[in-house]
Amino acid sequence: MTEEQVEKIEIQTKDGKKYEVETRAIVMSGLVKDMLEEELEEGEQPSIPLPNVESATFEKILEFVNHHWNNPIKEIEKPLKSDFNEMISDWDKKFLESMDDVLLVDVINASNYLNIKDLLEMTCAKVAAGLKGKPVSELRRMFMREDEEDEEEGEEDT
């Protein structure tokens, strides 16, 4: 199939930005795949709204699906090994390193909403690897849950 023959659909993000995306890549999303099948049954021109995904987040997701639609990620072992970076490809390392913490969390939430299992597992494993081995007090600071520390100390005393 030549580039001109590749099927494309329109996706509209929460902030109103529209994208023409390759169907073969975006159907990595279970949600989009299901919505696309419904629209095709009704004979409509495929246009999928994503009211829970901002454009910056969707652009990262597009980067992932365009790379991985025909190139599955390496399986991530569970429980997580000590060195997460040894379990993923160089491309995936660069992809994950290109995101700050806020965008990473947005991609996790969006990949969960869009039902993109490989992306969800890889991004969650990245977060888990970053948390592994940290003391509880540091984790509480990271998640701004210092108020729970006082409650737990009180429970331990009883």
Side-chain angles (χ1 to χ4, degrees), residues 108-124:
I108 289 170
N109 288 328
S111 61
N112 184 44
Y113 167 71
L114 293 170
N115 191 15
I116 304 175
K117 183 179 177 259
D118 287 347
L119 180 57
L120 180 61
E121 285 186 4
M122 185 177 71
T123 52
C124 286

Side-chain angles (χ1 to χ4, degrees), residues 9 16 28-29 38 40 44-45 72 74 104 108:
I9 61 170
M28 283 185 74
S29 162
E38 287 177 19
L40 290 176
E44 296 178 17
Q45 177 64 30
K74 294 178 182 177
L104 180 62
I108 289 170

Side-chain angles (χ1 to χ4, degrees), residues 13 15 34 40 51-52 98 101 104 116 134 146 148 156:
T13 56
D15 46 354
D34 291 346
L40 290 176
N52 296 342
S98 72
D101 290 345
L104 180 62
I116 304 175
K134 294 202 185 299
E146 292 177 19
E148 290 182 354
E156 290 173 11

